Amino acid sequence: MRVKVTVMLKDGVLDPQGEAVRHALGAMGFDGVNGVRQGKLIELDVADGTTEAQVTEMCEKLLANTVIESYRVEM
Amino acid sequence: MRVKVTVMLKDGVLDPQGEAVRHALGAMGFDGVNGVRQGKLIELDVADGTTEAQVTEMCEKLLANTVIESYRVEM
């Protein structure tokens, strides 16, 4: 069973990686890019019957740093 | 306008980051995690009127390394 977890920095947390991308796009001539945020997309291949609660626990304990990151689980 | 770009390693390309996550989840007692692939999720805030072709060009030139990565654009 495929599960998708997206992990993004919370709003207000500085994202230097995204900022570097934004700057690079501007320098390459792509106008109109006002902001870039970069996060993680984690695709898990888990056993059938794995519950959303279990995946949430994985996020809380390992996949996301909940102090600065938010996550979303798509089963 | 918000645009989402997901960048994943192509199938067959070794993903040490995902493998490390898989191993860590197993060590933490989460059984049944057969595989993990980790990619990037890039959220762009672009000017209205930006075309999908322009975003695709950004992917080809900067956001993805098309030798080993595939990307998907969601406008």
Side-chain angles (χ1 to χ4, degrees):
Chain A
M1 188 173 66
R2 282 283 165 109
V3 178
K4 273 189 190 181
V5 174
T6 55
V7 179
M8 298 294 291
L9 284 168
K10 289 179 179 171
D11 288 339
V13 177
L14 202 66
D15 179 1
Q17 215 172 356
E19 193 53 29
V21 170
R22 190 192 63 75
H23 187 261
L25 286 171
M28 291 169 71
F30 292 107
D31 296 324
V33 180
N34 302 314
V36 178
R37 307 282 286 173
Q38 185 169 326
K40 287 180 284 189
L41 174 61
I42 302 163
E43 287 186 356
L44 302 158
D45 179 12
V46 296
D48 291 346
T50 304
T51 63
E52 188 162 344
Q54 285 172 303
V55 179
T56 300
E57 197 185 347
M58 293 178 198
C59 292
E60 291 281 339
K61 288 192 174 168
L62 182 75
L63 303 179
N65 174 357
T66 54
V67 177
I68 56 169
E69 292 172 328
S70 58
Y71 62 86
R72 205 178 64 238
V73 175
E74 288 171 66
M75 304 283 293
Chain B
M1 188 173 68
R2 282 284 166 108
V3 178
K4 274 189 190 179
V5 174
T6 55
V7 179
M8 299 294 291
L9 284 169
K10 289 179 178 171
D11 288 339
V13 177
L14 201 68
D15 179 1
Q17 215 172 357
E19 194 52 29
V21 170
R22 191 192 62 75
H23 186 260
L25 286 171
M28 290 168 74
F30 293 105
D31 297 324
V33 180
N34 302 316
V36 178
R37 305 281 288 174
Q38 185 169 326
K40 287 181 285 187
L41 174 61
I42 302 164
E43 286 186 357
L44 303 158
D45 179 12
V46 296
D48 292 347
T50 303
T51 63
E52 189 162 343
Q54 285 172 302
V55 179
T56 300
E57 197 185 346
M58 293 179 199
C59 292
E60 292 281 339
K61 289 191 173 170
L62 183 75
L63 302 179
N65 174 357
T66 54
V67 177
I68 56 169
E69 292 171 328
S70 59
Y71 61 86
R72 205 177 66 236
V73 175
E74 288 171 65
M75 305 285 291

